Amino acid sequence: MNKKKAENESVWPVKHAAVLEGDIILGGLMMVHGRAAGGGGAARCGPLMAQGGVQALEAMLFALDEAARAGLLPAGVRLGALVLDDCDSDTRGLEMALDFIKGSISNIDDEEYGCNATAVRKVISGVVGAASSVTSVQVANLLRLFKIPQVSFFSTSPELSNKARFEYFTRTIPSDLHQARAMVEIVKRLRWRYVSIIYEESNYGIKAFEELETLLQRDDICIAVKERLAKDSGAADEKAYDAIVERLLSRPRARGVIVFGSDQEVAGVMAAARRRGAAHAFSWVGSDGWSARALVAAGNEPVVEGTVSVQPQANPVRGFQEYFLALSPQNNPRNPWFVEFWEEQFRCRHPGSSRAAHNAHYAPCSGRERLTAGNTEFEAQLQFVADAVWAFVYAIRDMHRDLCGGRAGLCDAMRPVSGPTLLRYLRQVRFIGLSGDEFHFDAYGDGPARYNILHFKQVARDVYRWVKVGQYLDGELQLDMDEIQFKWDEPHHPESVCSAECELGQAKQYVEGESCCWHCFNCTQYEIRSPTSATACVECARGTLPDARRTHCAPVPELYLRASSPAAIGAMTFSAAGILLTMLVGGVWLARCGTPVVRASGRELSFVLLGGILLCYLVTFALVLRPTDFLCAVQRFGTGFCFTVVYAALLTKTNRIARIFDASKHSARRPSLISPKSQLLICSILVSIQVVIVVVWQLASPARAIHHYPTREDNMLVCDSYVDASYTIAFFYPVVLIVICTVYAVLTRKIPEAFNESKHIGFTMYTTCVIWLAFVPLYFGTASHVPLRVTSMAVTISLSASVTLACLFAPKMYIILIRPERNVRGNLLPSKWRARGARGAAPGAVCAALVGAAPLPRNTPSTDLSTLDTTERSTSTDRQVQTEDIKTTPKNGAIERNGLCLDPKKLAELGGLPEFQQPSGAALRRRATAEPAMRVAVAVVGARPVL
């Protein structure tokens, strides 16, 4: 037996409806109440939602009033409303939507509902709402069947942008796709790499989570914990929220948490964090579902502090605050929930109000209660409610203008209003709303993507406030980081990373089973972290080394002998001095080419020697310049060629001397190929061998300038011949010439010093060998020091040329320039022969001295073995030395031998010579036998008789 209910007590909540009469009725689904804590049963609604429910309802009514006051509606047409409460529940919202279609079943086939004239049910032409995306999905599926356009003001689920499924759904708020991108941009700006995500178990949360997961993965941001908030089945209990917080605390390094949910569920999470003492453990990034909502922050301020949230950009609805603050239960009868709101606002029971669960313990109201700006907190996003209402207003106006031709009242074409036609006009509206912002729908039927970035901070001790710190417009985030303060006693932004980024020159080694946790290990001295993989080190290529930041391989500066370096300047100065001296000697030799000293030195081969010496000095300039392929070819050819020219000429000289004196031991016949032309021919053949060697070498392996890396720190720009020591090919033949020439110098060391500078040539070769024996270990011992190696080669070549220039030409330059009186033929004979002549030397020696010193005709041949006049070749080639005794002619006392007649009187007239005495025949025979060299000299000279 049921007990009789107390007087004035009613079942709560009572199904109410806010009704505003009109010719065209808009339905409204408002979240006046939240969901019940336990769910199910008769009480399926929870506490009153002051901001997102009552204020949103009043904003809809206010927008209708303002449209009528502004004359936006056609003449004679009133726009009414039927507003129901969905209690933030998809199932209840679907039940409420059934009331909207009861009077609109005729819209299925676009025919007039037969009983419309007498039916009490109202025909709904469009629906404003719902607030929740979950509810909007359910309602949109139903309204689509009856072709009723729907405009939501708070539903942001990306799923609702699918017009294939939700053809009649539009919204004034942007899609969560934009919101998710804005939240990821905030995470990136905060430099978080390891975050957790909490999302509500609804289309609103699930679709947003999928988008967040994709965006975070694209930007290499890892998700530590993924948690769902119960939604459709009713609010979860405290244990469920405590379990979520515990799982968040299990990953303490993931301090950043993205929360995508509605205010009622998020409030449960914040309360659980407060109970767990985790006020400083996390920093939140919130969605518009709970951004700036008092339900979340009330009592949980220390936990919510530091939250950065995204909220669709909305400006205050002009005039609404004054309108709302002037409301009271007495002057607002069209809102059946306003009394309940009044009682919740002032915690009192209004006179005449039914007794219910929410007001059972309240004291009666005094009647002096008033809404003020100080005791009322306004919803920040009421602009979207007003824009939704005015979108219908402008669509109906445009539709009436086109279908009714401007006639007052509704015409038959708009009885009832066609859903598809109204939808077409609805998508095309563009207007300036009550907030002052321009509004229009995009291609997906969504509102403009404009967001404010709000921050919940402690502006003073224990004083908290939501403040705007940035905005997100057209995909670009503008955020004032200086205004963000996560915790009052924590000045720095919290880090949310599993592992700190490795330092420069380090790579990652991931922890098994983790994608954002790793250990760092150092790359080796010559490695950098791979630019394509953070887990690997790559070795720098030869010629490059890790830069100071160890982020990339930087080229090692090229090392080569620069012309501006002291070593190069010294080498070029030495060579320049040698060139000047060589040109000086050449000029003197050319000017004095007819003097005995020059003739005795062999003019032709002397000029060849000077040319080779000049080339030796010039090679230095090719060695000190920056290597190129052309210069490398010049170096390869020039270094060997210049030596070949010098030592080929010296070898030709020493070989000629050796052959002449060797022939004297076996025969008195004059050796062949000892004339100047023959000597030049022999020298050219010797030089051509080197030319052939280098040309073949160049064709087989062209010279190239390459980079050589003897060590990791080196990057030497050198000619390839330096690297593989193939320069020995260029020097092999000249070394052979040097060895042979040195051997000849040793063999001819006892030849009288007046014959062909034999001792000077020997000294030159000995010194050259010493220089090159010292150069070889220096050259190969400096392989890693290119400038020193090139400098040593250049100086050695120049020094070899200088030795040759000094040893062979300096003594003769001394006679020509300083002692010209000695530049006579008499001084070219050995001193011991001149002494013998002064003491009454043998006639043969005196004859030789005479031939060397006496004035001769132009065609008289020289006594020097290297300066045979070619004009005498025909008279001397067939002449042979006779060994019989010298015959004397008593008639005039002259000596006659083989046609050579020497007159003692004429010898006495020459002056400077002792009186010639005729020796006995026996003495002459002994002297002639003892001096074969003199005989050979006389024979070679082929002197003709002097009368």
Side-chain angles (χ1 to χ4, degrees):
M1 182 176 180
N2 295 332
K3 296 182 179 179
K4 186 177 180 180
K5 293 184 180 296
E7 185 179 0
N8 292 332
E9 185 176 355
S10 62
V11 177
W12 187 88
V14 179
K15 181 178 178 180
H16 294 300
V19 179
L20 185 64
E21 298 296 338
D23 301 308
I24 298 176
I25 304 299
L26 295 179
L29 275 179
M30 299 295 171
M31 188 173 56
V32 179
H33 292 89
R35 291 186 308 282
R44 292 177 296 170
C45 293
L48 188 79
M49 308 294 289
Q51 291 176 272
V54 175
Q55 289 182 12
L57 187 152
E58 290 295 342
M60 178 178 178
L61 300 178
F62 175 75
L64 290 172
D65 295 341
E66 289 298 306
R69 186 179 299 111
L72 298 177
L73 292 170
V77 177
R78 293 181 305 158
L79 191 58
L82 174 62
V83 184
L84 302 177
D85 178 15
D86 62 18
C87 294
D88 194 21
S89 169
D90 56 338
T91 55
R92 183 175 175 87
L94 191 59
E95 292 177 7
M96 297 300 105
L98 288 174
D99 287 351
F100 294 150
I101 66 171
K102 289 177 181 178
S104 306
I105 295 177
S106 61
N107 285 356
I108 296 177
D109 54 6
D110 293 332
E111 294 180 358
E112 181 69 22
Y113 183 56
C115 301
N116 194 40
T118 59
V120 295
R121 299 186 179 94
K122 300 180 181 298
V123 177
I124 303 301
S125 299
V127 174
V128 175
S132 168
S133 294
V134 179
T135 305
S136 289
V137 168
Q138 298 291 346
V139 173
N141 284 324
L142 179 63
L143 296 181
R144 175 177 176 272
L145 299 177
F146 298 93
K147 301 180 182 179
I148 299 177
Q150 175 187 357
V151 179
S152 175
F153 47 85
F154 286 164
S155 299
T156 59
S157 173
E159 183 181 14
L160 292 167
S161 295
N162 184 357
K163 291 301 172 277
R165 287 186 56 195
F166 307 103
E167 180 182 357
Y168 284 81
F169 178 86
T170 54
R171 53 187 166 190
T172 55
I173 198 168
S175 167
D176 281 336
L177 290 177
H178 304 288
Q179 184 177 185
R181 292 167 187 157
M183 297 174 79
V184 172
E185 289 299 319
I186 293 174
V187 170
K188 291 166 58 178
R189 188 67 59 88
L190 296 175
R191 298 180 181 178
W192 291 349
R193 313 302 302 175
Y194 192 54
V195 298
S196 298
I197 297 181
I198 301 176
Y199 61 99
E200 73 174 33
E201 195 174 14
S202 65
N203 285 329
Y204 167 71
I206 293 174
K207 295 299 181 181
F209 168 74
E210 292 174 354
E211 182 68 16
L212 282 171
E213 192 174 32
T214 300
L215 294 174
L216 292 174
Q217 184 177 6
R218 185 189 64 186
D219 292 311
D220 294 327
I221 300 173
C222 297
I223 301 175
V225 177
K226 308 172 187 177
E227 287 297 325
R228 292 190 180 190
L229 290 172
K231 174 74 174 179
D232 293 343
S233 59
D237 55 17
E238 290 185 356
K239 291 183 178 180
Y241 294 123
D242 290 341
I244 291 175
V245 174
E246 286 295 333
R247 283 190 286 273
L248 293 178
L249 290 173
S250 67
R251 300 294 180 90
R253 300 187 67 91
R255 295 192 60 184
V257 183
I258 300 175
V259 183
F260 218 104
S262 300
D263 50 3
Q264 188 170 352
E265 288 74 27
V266 176
V269 175
M270 298 303 171
R274 174 174 51 80
R275 290 192 299 271
R276 187 63 177 78
H280 289 72
F282 307 109
S283 296
W284 317 93
V285 174
S287 66
D288 64 326
W290 61 278
S291 175
R293 298 291 175 84
L295 178 62
V296 178
N300 303 317
E301 287 85 355
V303 181
V304 183
E305 181 186 5
T307 297
V308 179
S309 65
V310 179
Q311 189 179 77
Q313 190 177 85
N315 292 315
V317 177
R318 290 175 298 188
F320 177 75
Q321 184 172 345
E322 294 79 5
Y323 161 81
F324 190 81
L325 294 178
L327 294 177
S328 67
Q330 291 77 20
N331 62 15
N332 190 22
R334 60 184 181 179
N335 185 348
W337 299 283
F338 194 78
V339 171
E340 184 180 347
F341 163 76
W342 193 270
E343 292 175 339
E344 289 294 323
Q345 178 73 13
F346 297 106
R347 295 292 190 272
C348 66
R349 183 177 175 185
H350 189 269
S353 173
S354 300
R355 184 186 177 96
H358 74 280
N359 61 7
H361 303 289
Y362 291 162
C365 296
S366 64
R368 293 188 299 270
E369 293 81 10
R370 293 292 182 272
L371 294 175
T372 64
N375 61 20
T376 306
E377 187 172 356
F378 286 91
E379 168 64 43
Q381 301 184 52
L382 295 179
Q383 171 188 343
F384 300 111
V385 180
D387 286 343
V389 175
W390 274 36
F392 275 113
V393 170
Y394 276 91
I396 292 172
R397 185 197 66 175
D398 296 341
M399 182 179 179
H400 184 275
R401 181 190 58 216
D402 294 341
L403 298 182
C404 299
R407 294 192 300 271
L410 292 178
C411 61
D412 294 338
M414 294 184 65
R415 293 180 181 272
V417 175
S418 170
T421 305
L422 178 60
L423 178 66
R424 186 175 70 251
Y425 281 96
L426 188 65
R427 296 283 177 81
Q428 297 173 356
V429 297
R430 182 181 292 269
F431 57 89
I432 304 297
L434 287 171
S435 62
D437 294 329
E438 181 181 359
F439 178 84
H440 66 278
F441 292 107
D442 65 13
Y444 299 98
D446 302 332
R450 301 177 296 212
Y451 292 90
N452 288 328
I453 309 301
L454 303 183
H455 178 49
F456 190 69
K457 64 186 297 186
Q458 192 173 174
V459 296
R461 178 63 68 180
D462 297 329
V463 178
Y464 300 89
R465 187 174 301 160
W466 287 96
V467 296
K468 179 181 177 181
V469 293
Q471 57 184 358
Y472 182 81
L473 302 175
D474 299 327
E476 182 178 352
L477 176 66
Q478 301 172 9
L479 191 62
D480 187 356
M481 296 298 296
D482 296 333
E483 287 293 326
I484 296 179
Q485 172 187 295
F486 282 92
K487 299 296 179 184
W488 179 263
D489 54 353
E490 188 176 321
H492 302 292
H493 299 165
E495 288 188 348
S496 186
V497 294
C498 181
S499 298
E501 284 297 324
C502 294
E503 296 180 359
L504 299 176
Q506 293 183 331
K508 300 176 182 178
Q509 183 178 5
Y510 284 96
V511 177
E512 186 176 358
E514 295 286 347
S515 60
C516 282
C517 302
W518 58 79
H519 301 295
C520 298
F521 65 92
N522 294 323
C523 297
T524 63
Q525 181 181 1
Y526 302 114
E527 291 180 336
I528 62 170
R529 188 168 69 182
S530 171
T532 59
S533 174
T535 61
C537 296
V538 293
E539 185 177 9
C540 289
R542 290 280 183 171
T544 63
L545 290 173
D547 65 341
R549 294 176 54 83
R550 301 184 69 85
T551 56
H552 68 278
C553 297
V556 177
E558 290 181 341
L559 178 63
Y560 57 89
L561 182 61
R562 303 178 186 274
S564 59
S565 65
I569 292 175
M572 289 189 293
T573 302
F574 187 21
S575 297
I579 291 173
L580 292 177
L581 289 176
T582 304
M583 295 177 68
L584 175 63
V585 172
V588 171
W589 238 244
L590 188 63
R592 305 294 178 88
C593 63
T595 62
V597 168
V598 175
R599 290 169 59 86
S601 299
R603 290 172 297 182
E604 295 78 5
L605 290 180
S606 294
F607 283 114
V608 172
L609 267 173
L610 289 173
I613 292 171
L614 184 63
L615 287 176
C616 289
Y617 288 125
L618 291 175
V619 165
T620 296
F621 296 94
L623 291 172
V624 301
L625 296 178
R626 185 180 186 274
T628 63
D629 290 349
F630 174 75
L631 281 178
C632 289
V634 172
Q635 291 179 19
R636 177 184 288 186
F637 179 82
T639 51
F641 181 76
C642 65
F643 280 121
T644 302
V645 173
V646 171
Y647 297 113
L650 289 177
L651 179 59
T652 303
K653 276 193 171 191
T654 55
N655 173 265
R656 180 172 178 269
I657 296 172
R659 287 190 295 112
I660 290 174
F661 284 92
D662 184 65
S664 68
K665 300 177 182 179
H666 308 288
S667 171
R669 183 180 298 275
R670 181 174 183 263
S672 61
L673 300 176
I674 60 174
S675 66
K677 289 185 177 180
S678 299
Q679 299 301 294
L680 288 177
L681 178 62
I682 293 172
C683 184
S684 299
I685 293 173
L686 293 176
V687 171
S688 64
I689 295 175
Q690 173 70 10
V691 174
V692 171
I693 292 174
V694 176
V695 170
V696 172
W697 179 24
Q698 181 70 13
L699 293 176
S701 176
R704 294 180 300 112
I706 64 172
H707 289 90
H708 178 48
Y709 317 108
T711 66
R712 288 306 308 264
E713 288 81 8
D714 293 328
N715 181 18
M716 299 180 181
L717 180 62
V718 298
C719 296
D720 57 348
S721 299
Y722 283 105
V723 177
D724 54 11
S726 59
Y727 262 116
T728 54
I729 299 176
F731 287 118
F732 175 77
Y733 181 66
V735 168
V736 172
L737 295 180
I738 291 174
V739 172
I740 297 175
C741 198
T742 303
V743 171
Y744 274 120
V746 173
L747 295 178
T748 59
R749 68 186 184 280
K750 294 183 178 180
I751 294 176
E753 67 272 13
F755 292 101
N756 271 340
E757 319 123 295
S758 58
K759 293 189 182 299
H760 294 164
I761 293 175
F763 184 73
T764 299
M765 300 315 303
Y766 305 150
T767 307
T768 300
C769 290
V770 171
I771 291 174
W772 283 96
L773 287 175
F775 165 74
V776 170
L778 178 62
Y779 180 81
F780 288 100
T782 57
S784 60
H785 199 295
V786 173
L788 181 59
R789 170 178 265 197
V790 175
T791 303
S792 64
M793 176 175 287
V795 171
T796 301
I797 293 174
S798 298
L799 191 59
S800 300
S802 300
V803 168
T804 305
L805 186 66
C807 292
L808 293 183
F809 292 93
K812 297 177 179 57
M813 289 289 291
Y814 173 78
I815 294 174
I816 294 173
L817 298 178
I818 299 178
R819 302 294 298 275
E821 68 275 7
R822 294 176 56 183
N823 192 3
V824 294
R825 291 184 180 275
N827 286 312
L828 300 180
L829 289 177
S831 58
K832 62 182 180 179
W833 289 11
R834 291 197 301 271
R836 288 179 181 178
R839 295 190 304 268
V846 175
C847 289
L850 178 64
V851 172
L856 298 175
R858 289 179 59 87
N859 58 356
T860 301
S862 170
T863 60
D864 182 37
L865 301 180
S866 63
T867 56
L868 291 176
D869 195 331
T870 56
T871 60
E872 294 297 323
R873 189 189 314 172
S874 60
T875 62
S876 61
T877 54
D878 298 329
R879 192 170 296 152
Q880 298 181 355
V881 178
Q882 304 295 328
T883 59
E884 63 265 17
D885 294 338
I886 300 175
K887 299 178 182 181
T888 59
T889 306
K891 181 179 179 179
N892 53 11
I895 303 172
E896 181 179 358
R897 183 186 178 188
N898 296 332
L900 176 62
C901 183
L902 302 178
D903 190 345
K905 294 182 179 180
K906 291 186 178 182
L907 289 175
E909 294 174 358
L910 294 176
L913 293 175
E915 185 176 352
F916 187 81
Q917 297 180 357
Q918 180 176 343
S920 64
L924 284 176
R925 283 194 298 270
R926 289 193 300 271
R927 187 70 52 82
T929 304
E931 297 182 359
M934 183 274 295
R935 295 200 309 271
V936 174
V938 173
V940 171
V941 171
R944 46 181 72 161
V946 179
L947 299 178

